[in-house]
Amino acid sequence: MPATASSLQKIVSQLATHYGKPGPPITTDPFELVLLESVAYLVSDERREEAFKALRRHAGTKPHEILSASDERILKATKLGGMHPEQRISRLREIALIAMNEFGGDLWQALKLPLPKAKQALRKFPSIGEPSAEKILLFTRSYPVLGLDSNGLRVLLRLGFGKEKKSYTATYRAVKEAIGDQLKKDYDWLTSTHILLRRHGKELCKTSAPLCEKCPVRKSCAYLRSQVSKPSR
Ligand code: SF4
């Protein structure tokens, strides 16, 4: 049976049983969430959080603190976050400047704008596209929207929600439309769903060679069914 429009909540609860209920995000502050995206590059979530905590410790995470901190202090954080740590010093300063110039140092006001404008405001920052903007709006409890990272998107596509399109943006919107009428408008549930789908995509439903034999939601998976029904050569 394909993953139907009524099965997402069941799938999420199966993932929660398998991985355990996720803890809260490391931060729910909008500016810190923007910094978190840029403090590290191509590293594990644990490493990214380590770099972020070092930034808090050595430089601070308010726009004026980032702007006044020395390169040396910021480097203590960015060097924990993967390759090209010097480039990320400039990136973090650029982010702080945008926060000061466009938002007077306080992003919370922008999150009170109507949803499309709030997303547009967040997308003024480098590395923040629609998915990250939605994640920030969710984690700050500004709007009950499910932002999906690339892992979560892949998992939902394989489960049968939406179809792959020519562009990432079009695929993202197709998946969001497919799940739209079955999302709970509940911040805790949406936040857990974001975290669980991401974790599943990273640990079992990997880009290449997903570990389907270990998957707790394999019975609902369209991708797995299509693999099993392929004629053998
Ligand atoms: S069965 Fe395989 S492809 Fe389907 S969700 Fe699980 S890991 Fe991903």
Side-chain angles (χ1 to χ4, degrees):
M1 197 175 97
T4 65
S6 61
S7 58
L8 180 63
Q9 292 184 18
K10 186 172 155 206
I11 285 167
V12 172
S13 98
Q14 288 169 329
L15 291 175
T17 303
H18 182 80
Y19 292 109
K21 191 172 167 357
I26 187 169
T27 177
T28 55
D29 176 89
F31 184 66
E32 285 196 338
L33 285 162
V34 175
L35 292 175
L36 189 62
E37 297 288 326
S38 289
V39 73
Y41 180 63
L42 291 181
V43 294
S44 66
D45 289 353
E46 291 73 25
R47 198 71 193 268
R48 180 176 295 276
E49 293 197 2
E50 230 178 274
F52 176 74
K53 284 180 190 162
L55 186 68
R56 266 185 182 158
R57 211 165 43 246
H58 296 293
T61 51
K62 300 263 189 296
H64 69 273
E65 291 174 329
I66 302 280
L67 289 173
S68 61
S70 64
D71 280 8
E72 199 184 18
R73 294 187 83 81
I74 300 179
L75 188 63
K76 285 186 178 169
T78 55
K79 74 180 180 194
L80 295 175
M83 62 178 100
H84 309 307
E86 288 83 10
Q87 286 176 15
R88 286 196 300 284
I89 299 176
S90 333
R91 175 56 66 91
L92 294 177
R93 289 230 175 81
E94 183 192 350
I95 287 170
L97 259 185
I98 294 171
M100 294 302 271
N101 294 340
E102 302 273 347
F103 304 99
D106 175 12
L107 266 63
W108 284 105
Q109 290 307 316
L111 305 187
K112 292 180 186 157
L113 293 167
L115 180 58
K117 290 212 175 292
K119 279 194 218 175
Q120 219 178 353
L122 290 168
R123 294 184 66 176
K124 290 183 177 175
F125 291 102
S127 312
I128 305 293
E130 185 170 2
S132 303
E134 290 188 337
K135 175 184 152 187
I136 293 170
L137 291 166
L138 171 62
F139 283 17
T140 55
R141 296 182 172 243
S142 305
Y143 282 97
V145 288
L146 180 64
L148 293 166
D149 76 335
S150 59
N151 292 285
L153 190 71
R154 181 175 64 255
V155 170
L156 289 175
L157 264 178
R158 283 179 175 165
L159 286 168
F161 295 101
K163 292 264 178 287
E164 190 133 27
K165 306 278 181 194
K166 282 188 183 156
S167 73
Y168 188 87
T169 306
T171 304
Y172 186 82
R173 291 192 177 152
V175 170
K176 292 292 300 277
E177 200 181 316
I179 59 173
D181 64 353
Q182 51 180 317
L183 298 176
K184 291 190 200 174
K185 293 281 178 203
D186 174 276
Y187 285 113
D188 289 337
W189 184 82
L190 289 165
T191 303
S192 292
T193 298
H194 171 93
I195 295 170
L196 286 165
L197 289 171
R198 172 175 169 77
R199 182 163 177 191
H200 188 52
K202 286 174 87 76
E203 291 188 18
L204 292 179
C205 195
K206 296 162 185 271
T207 312
S208 55
L211 304 171
C212 301
E213 68 287 356
K214 297 183 180 166
C215 177
V217 294
R218 61 188 173 277
K219 286 188 182 152
S220 308
C221 184
Y223 170 87
L224 183 59
R225 259 191 316 279
S226 72
Q227 297 303 103
V228 170
S229 60
K230 267 187 189 167
S232 49
R233 296 183 181 194

